[in-house]
Short mmCIF file of all heavy atoms in Angstrom, two decimals:
data_model
loop_
_atom_site.label_atom_id
_atom_site.label_comp_id
_atom_site.label_asym_id
_atom_site.label_seq_id
_atom_site.Cartn_x
_atom_site.Cartn_y
_atom_site.Cartn_z
N PRO D 1 0.93 21.57 1.65
CA PRO D 1 2.05 20.69 1.36
C PRO D 1 2.91 20.44 2.56
O PRO D 1 3.23 21.34 3.34
CB PRO D 1 2.84 21.46 0.26
CG PRO D 1 2.49 22.89 0.56
CD PRO D 1 1.08 22.89 1.04
N LEU D 2 3.30 19.18 2.74
CA LEU D 2 4.23 18.75 3.81
C LEU D 2 3.74 18.96 5.19
O LEU D 2 4.52 19.06 6.15
CB LEU D 2 5.61 19.51 3.58
CG LEU D 2 6.20 19.36 2.20
CD1 LEU D 2 7.54 20.14 2.17
CD2 LEU D 2 6.43 17.94 1.80
N GLY D 3 2.41 19.12 5.35
CA GLY D 3 1.89 19.27 6.70
C GLY D 3 1.25 20.59 6.96
O GLY D 3 1.28 21.53 6.14
N LEU D 4 0.67 20.71 8.17
CA LEU D 4 -0.15 21.88 8.52
C LEU D 4 0.76 23.15 8.68
O LEU D 4 0.23 24.26 8.69
CB LEU D 4 -0.96 21.64 9.75
CG LEU D 4 -2.02 20.55 9.63
CD1 LEU D 4 -2.78 20.40 10.91
CD2 LEU D 4 -3.00 20.81 8.48
N GLN D 5 2.07 22.94 8.88
CA GLN D 5 2.92 24.15 9.12
C GLN D 5 3.00 24.99 7.81
O GLN D 5 3.40 26.14 7.89
CB GLN D 5 4.33 23.71 9.55
CG GLN D 5 5.13 22.93 8.54
CD GLN D 5 4.95 21.43 8.71
OE1 GLN D 5 3.88 21.00 9.05
NE2 GLN D 5 6.00 20.67 8.45
N PHE D 6 2.67 24.39 6.66
CA PHE D 6 2.63 25.16 5.39
C PHE D 6 1.18 25.28 4.93
O PHE D 6 0.92 25.28 3.72
CB PHE D 6 3.46 24.46 4.32
CG PHE D 6 4.93 24.40 4.63
CD1 PHE D 6 5.54 23.22 5.07
CD2 PHE D 6 5.71 25.52 4.59
CE1 PHE D 6 6.86 23.20 5.33
CE2 PHE D 6 7.05 25.51 4.87
CZ PHE D 6 7.60 24.31 5.29
N SER D 7 0.22 25.35 5.85
CA SER D 7 -1.21 25.41 5.47
C SER D 7 -1.46 26.65 4.64
O SER D 7 -0.90 27.69 4.81
CB SER D 7 -2.05 25.40 6.75
OG SER D 7 -1.78 26.59 7.52
N GLY D 8 -2.41 26.44 3.72
CA GLY D 8 -2.82 27.58 2.86
C GLY D 8 -1.80 27.96 1.79
O GLY D 8 -1.90 29.07 1.27
N SER D 9 -0.87 27.08 1.51
CA SER D 9 0.14 27.42 0.49
C SER D 9 -0.50 27.56 -0.87
O SER D 9 -1.40 26.82 -1.27
CB SER D 9 1.20 26.36 0.42
OG SER D 9 2.02 26.35 1.59
N VAL D 10 -0.03 28.61 -1.60
CA VAL D 10 -0.61 28.87 -2.97
C VAL D 10 0.47 28.70 -3.97
O VAL D 10 1.61 29.19 -3.84
CB VAL D 10 -1.11 30.33 -2.99
CG1 VAL D 10 -1.64 30.66 -4.35
CG2 VAL D 10 -2.15 30.57 -1.92
N THR D 11 0.19 27.96 -5.05
CA THR D 11 1.09 27.79 -6.18
C THR D 11 0.26 28.09 -7.45
O THR D 11 -0.93 27.85 -7.49
CB THR D 11 1.71 26.40 -6.24
OG1 THR D 11 0.67 25.39 -6.24
CG2 THR D 11 2.59 26.15 -5.06
N GLN D 12 0.93 28.58 -8.43
CA GLN D 12 0.33 28.94 -9.71
C GLN D 12 0.97 28.19 -10.85
O GLN D 12 2.18 27.94 -10.87
CB GLN D 12 0.40 30.45 -9.94
CG GLN D 12 -0.35 30.94 -11.18
CD GLN D 12 -0.19 32.40 -11.42
OE1 GLN D 12 0.56 33.05 -10.71
NE2 GLN D 12 -0.91 32.94 -12.42
N GLY D 13 0.18 27.83 -11.80
CA GLY D 13 0.67 27.22 -13.03
C GLY D 13 -0.36 27.23 -14.16
O GLY D 13 -1.20 28.15 -14.14
N ILE D 14 -0.31 26.25 -14.99
CA ILE D 14 -1.22 26.20 -16.13
C ILE D 14 -1.80 24.75 -16.20
O ILE D 14 -1.26 23.82 -15.58
CB ILE D 14 -0.61 26.55 -17.44
CG1 ILE D 14 0.53 25.58 -17.79
CG2 ILE D 14 -0.15 27.97 -17.52
CD1 ILE D 14 1.07 25.66 -19.21
N ILE D 15 -2.86 24.58 -16.98
CA ILE D 15 -3.31 23.24 -17.32
C ILE D 15 -2.41 22.71 -18.40
O ILE D 15 -2.28 23.26 -19.48
CB ILE D 15 -4.79 23.28 -17.79
CG1 ILE D 15 -5.72 23.69 -16.65
CG2 ILE D 15 -5.17 21.92 -18.36
CD1 ILE D 15 -5.85 22.69 -15.55
N SER D 16 -1.74 21.58 -18.09
CA SER D 16 -0.79 21.00 -19.05
C SER D 16 -1.49 19.99 -19.95
O SER D 16 -1.00 19.77 -21.10
CB SER D 16 0.29 20.31 -18.25
OG SER D 16 0.95 21.20 -17.37
N GLY D 17 -2.59 19.44 -19.52
CA GLY D 17 -3.31 18.51 -20.36
C GLY D 17 -4.63 18.10 -19.72
O GLY D 17 -4.81 18.23 -18.45
N THR D 18 -5.61 17.72 -20.51
CA THR D 18 -6.92 17.28 -19.98
C THR D 18 -7.15 15.84 -20.39
O THR D 18 -6.53 15.30 -21.30
CB THR D 18 -8.05 18.16 -20.53
OG1 THR D 18 -8.00 18.07 -22.02
CG2 THR D 18 -7.85 19.61 -20.19
N GLU D 19 -8.09 15.16 -19.67
CA GLU D 19 -8.43 13.80 -19.95
C GLU D 19 -7.28 12.82 -19.96
O GLU D 19 -7.17 11.96 -20.81
CB GLU D 19 -9.23 13.73 -21.30
CG GLU D 19 -10.52 14.53 -21.28
CD GLU D 19 -11.30 14.40 -22.57
OE1 GLU D 19 -10.77 13.86 -23.55
OE2 GLU D 19 -12.41 14.93 -22.66
N ARG D 20 -6.37 13.06 -19.08
CA ARG D 20 -5.25 12.16 -18.87
C ARG D 20 -5.77 10.85 -18.16
O ARG D 20 -6.56 10.94 -17.22
CB ARG D 20 -4.12 12.70 -18.02
CG ARG D 20 -3.51 13.98 -18.64
CD ARG D 20 -2.86 13.67 -19.94
NE ARG D 20 -1.90 14.75 -20.26
CZ ARG D 20 -1.70 15.21 -21.48
NH1 ARG D 20 -2.39 14.71 -22.49
NH2 ARG D 20 -0.83 16.20 -21.73
N ALA D 21 -5.37 9.71 -18.64
CA ALA D 21 -5.84 8.41 -18.08
C ALA D 21 -4.67 7.82 -17.29
O ALA D 21 -3.58 7.49 -17.78
CB ALA D 21 -6.23 7.47 -19.19
N ILE D 22 -4.93 7.61 -16.02
CA ILE D 22 -3.92 7.02 -15.09
C ILE D 22 -4.39 5.70 -14.61
O ILE D 22 -5.50 5.58 -13.97
CB ILE D 22 -3.72 7.97 -13.84
CG1 ILE D 22 -3.30 9.38 -14.32
CG2 ILE D 22 -2.68 7.38 -12.91
CD1 ILE D 22 -2.04 9.45 -15.06
N PRO D 23 -3.69 4.59 -14.90
CA PRO D 23 -4.09 3.26 -14.47
C PRO D 23 -4.06 3.09 -12.94
O PRO D 23 -3.14 3.53 -12.27
CB PRO D 23 -3.08 2.34 -15.13
CG PRO D 23 -1.86 3.19 -15.40
CD PRO D 23 -2.38 4.59 -15.57
N ILE D 24 -5.11 2.49 -12.37
CA ILE D 24 -5.24 2.30 -10.97
C ILE D 24 -5.47 0.81 -10.67
O ILE D 24 -6.32 0.19 -11.27
CB ILE D 24 -6.48 3.04 -10.43
CG1 ILE D 24 -6.38 4.57 -10.78
CG2 ILE D 24 -6.58 2.89 -8.90
CD1 ILE D 24 -5.24 5.30 -10.10
N ASP D 25 -4.63 0.26 -9.82
CA ASP D 25 -4.78 -1.10 -9.31
C ASP D 25 -5.20 -0.98 -7.84
O ASP D 25 -4.38 -0.89 -6.97
CB ASP D 25 -3.49 -1.89 -9.42
CG ASP D 25 -3.58 -3.30 -8.83
OD1 ASP D 25 -4.70 -3.72 -8.59
OD2 ASP D 25 -2.49 -3.90 -8.58
N GLU D 26 -6.48 -1.05 -7.55
CA GLU D 26 -7.00 -0.77 -6.19
C GLU D 26 -6.92 -2.02 -5.29
O GLU D 26 -6.75 -1.89 -4.07
CB GLU D 26 -8.43 -0.29 -6.27
CG GLU D 26 -8.54 1.10 -6.82
CD GLU D 26 -7.82 2.20 -6.03
OE1 GLU D 26 -7.45 1.92 -4.86
OE2 GLU D 26 -7.59 3.27 -6.57
N ASN D 27 -7.02 -3.26 -5.81
CA ASN D 27 -7.03 -4.43 -4.98
C ASN D 27 -5.67 -5.08 -4.85
O ASN D 27 -5.57 -6.10 -4.24
CB ASN D 27 -8.09 -5.38 -5.39
CG ASN D 27 -7.95 -5.78 -6.89
OD1 ASN D 27 -6.92 -5.51 -7.48
ND2 ASN D 27 -8.98 -6.40 -7.40
N GLY D 28 -4.65 -4.48 -5.52
CA GLY D 28 -3.28 -4.97 -5.34
C GLY D 28 -3.04 -6.35 -6.00
O GLY D 28 -2.05 -7.01 -5.62
N ASP D 29 -3.81 -6.74 -6.98
CA ASP D 29 -3.60 -8.01 -7.63
C ASP D 29 -2.73 -7.89 -8.85
O ASP D 29 -2.51 -8.89 -9.59
CB ASP D 29 -4.91 -8.65 -8.06
CG ASP D 29 -5.74 -7.79 -9.06
OD1 ASP D 29 -5.25 -6.68 -9.41
OD2 ASP D 29 -6.80 -8.27 -9.43
N GLY D 30 -2.14 -6.74 -9.11
CA GLY D 30 -1.25 -6.54 -10.27
C GLY D 30 -2.00 -6.27 -11.53
O GLY D 30 -1.37 -6.01 -12.58
N GLN D 31 -3.32 -6.25 -11.51
CA GLN D 31 -4.12 -5.96 -12.65
C GLN D 31 -4.70 -4.53 -12.58
O GLN D 31 -5.15 -4.10 -11.47
CB GLN D 31 -5.25 -6.93 -12.85
CG GLN D 31 -4.84 -8.37 -12.90
CD GLN D 31 -4.02 -8.65 -14.17
OE1 GLN D 31 -4.29 -8.10 -15.25
NE2 GLN D 31 -3.01 -9.52 -14.07
N VAL D 32 -4.75 -3.86 -13.67
CA VAL D 32 -5.36 -2.46 -13.65
C VAL D 32 -6.85 -2.61 -13.52
O VAL D 32 -7.51 -3.30 -14.33
CB VAL D 32 -4.98 -1.73 -14.96
CG1 VAL D 32 -5.69 -0.40 -15.00
CG2 VAL D 32 -3.47 -1.55 -15.05
N ASP D 33 -7.41 -1.97 -12.50
CA ASP D 33 -8.83 -2.02 -12.24
C ASP D 33 -9.64 -0.90 -12.86
O ASP D 33 -10.77 -0.99 -13.09
CB ASP D 33 -9.08 -2.06 -10.76
CG ASP D 33 -8.48 -3.25 -10.00
OD1 ASP D 33 -8.78 -4.40 -10.47
OD2 ASP D 33 -7.71 -3.05 -9.08
N TRP D 34 -8.88 0.22 -13.09
CA TRP D 34 -9.63 1.41 -13.48
C TRP D 34 -8.66 2.38 -14.07
O TRP D 34 -7.48 2.48 -13.67
CB TRP D 34 -10.33 2.04 -12.25
CG TRP D 34 -11.22 3.21 -12.53
CD1 TRP D 34 -10.97 4.50 -12.09
CD2 TRP D 34 -12.43 3.25 -13.21
NE1 TRP D 34 -11.93 5.32 -12.48
CE2 TRP D 34 -12.87 4.61 -13.17
CE3 TRP D 34 -13.14 2.33 -13.89
CZ2 TRP D 34 -14.07 5.02 -13.81
CZ3 TRP D 34 -14.34 2.73 -14.51
CH2 TRP D 34 -14.77 4.03 -14.47
N ASN D 35 -9.11 3.22 -15.00
CA ASN D 35 -8.29 4.31 -15.53
C ASN D 35 -8.88 5.62 -14.98
O ASN D 35 -10.04 5.98 -15.39
CB ASN D 35 -8.30 4.34 -17.07
CG ASN D 35 -7.16 3.54 -17.65
OD1 ASN D 35 -6.18 3.20 -16.91
ND2 ASN D 35 -7.26 3.15 -18.87
N ALA D 36 -8.23 6.26 -14.10
CA ALA D 36 -8.74 7.54 -13.58
C ALA D 36 -8.42 8.62 -14.56
O ALA D 36 -7.29 8.84 -15.00
CB ALA D 36 -8.05 7.85 -12.24
N GLU D 37 -9.48 9.36 -14.98
CA GLU D 37 -9.35 10.52 -15.88
C GLU D 37 -9.08 11.77 -15.01
O GLU D 37 -9.89 12.11 -14.17
CB GLU D 37 -10.57 10.66 -16.76
CG GLU D 37 -10.78 9.52 -17.70
CD GLU D 37 -11.92 9.83 -18.72
OE1 GLU D 37 -12.34 10.97 -18.83
OE2 GLU D 37 -12.29 8.84 -19.43
N VAL D 38 -7.91 12.39 -15.30
CA VAL D 38 -7.54 13.54 -14.47
C VAL D 38 -7.07 14.70 -15.31
O VAL D 38 -6.79 14.57 -16.54
CB VAL D 38 -6.36 13.13 -13.57
CG1 VAL D 38 -6.83 12.07 -12.52
CG2 VAL D 38 -5.16 12.57 -14.32
N LEU D 39 -6.95 15.82 -14.69
CA LEU D 39 -6.37 17.03 -15.32
C LEU D 39 -4.88 17.05 -14.92
O LEU D 39 -4.55 16.71 -13.77
CB LEU D 39 -7.01 18.32 -14.77
CG LEU D 39 -8.54 18.50 -15.05
CD1 LEU D 39 -9.03 19.75 -14.30
CD2 LEU D 39 -8.78 18.67 -16.53
N GLN D 40 -4.05 17.42 -15.84
CA GLN D 40 -2.61 17.54 -15.58
C GLN D 40 -2.24 18.97 -15.42
O GLN D 40 -2.67 19.83 -16.27
CB GLN D 40 -1.82 16.91 -16.66
CG GLN D 40 -0.28 17.02 -16.49
CD GLN D 40 0.50 16.58 -17.73
OE1 GLN D 40 0.00 15.86 -18.53
NE2 GLN D 40 1.67 17.09 -17.85
N THR D 41 -1.49 19.37 -14.41
CA THR D 41 -1.07 20.75 -14.22
C THR D 41 0.39 20.79 -13.77
O THR D 41 0.90 19.82 -13.22
CB THR D 41 -1.95 21.46 -13.12
OG1 THR D 41 -1.43 22.78 -12.92
CG2 THR D 41 -1.90 20.68 -11.80
N ASP D 42 1.05 21.93 -14.07
CA ASP D 42 2.41 22.08 -13.58
C ASP D 42 2.45 22.96 -12.30
O ASP D 42 3.54 23.28 -11.83
CB ASP D 42 3.34 22.72 -14.70
CG ASP D 42 2.91 24.19 -15.02
OD1 ASP D 42 1.86 24.62 -14.55
OD2 ASP D 42 3.74 24.80 -15.69
N ALA D 43 1.29 23.34 -11.78
CA ALA D 43 1.27 24.01 -10.48
C ALA D 43 1.78 23.00 -9.41
O ALA D 43 1.41 21.87 -9.42
CB ALA D 43 -0.15 24.42 -10.12
N ALA D 44 2.67 23.46 -8.58
CA ALA D 44 3.33 22.54 -7.62
C ALA D 44 2.34 21.88 -6.70
O ALA D 44 1.59 22.52 -6.01
CB ALA D 44 4.38 23.32 -6.82
N ILE D 45 2.34 20.56 -6.75
CA ILE D 45 1.44 19.75 -5.87
C ILE D 45 2.40 18.75 -5.13
O ILE D 45 3.04 17.93 -5.78
CB ILE D 45 0.40 19.00 -6.66
CG1 ILE D 45 -0.57 20.02 -7.31
CG2 ILE D 45 -0.38 18.03 -5.74
CD1 ILE D 45 -1.63 19.33 -8.21
#
């Protein structure tokens, strides 16, 4: 986090949710191109 001066930082948390859908507009046309399915966690990222 925040660069190599904090390399190897470790944070702990839990899985807050699974199969979360995040809209992605990759070509910048204002239209959603894809829903990225991700895991949600409260571990500091």
Side-chain angles (χ1 to χ4, degrees):
L2 308 179
L4 298 179
Q5 65 270 32
F6 295 107
S7 63
S9 291
V10 178
T11 55
Q12 184 181 7
I14 61 170
I15 293 293
S16 305
T18 60
E19 298 181 353
R20 299 297 198 218
I22 303 298
I24 305 294
D25 174 17
E26 291 298 345
N27 55 14
D29 63 357
Q31 302 295 323
V32 175
D33 298 306
W34 183 248
N35 271 342
E37 292 188 13
V38 295
L39 299 173
Q40 178 190 338
T41 178
D42 68 347
I45 296 175

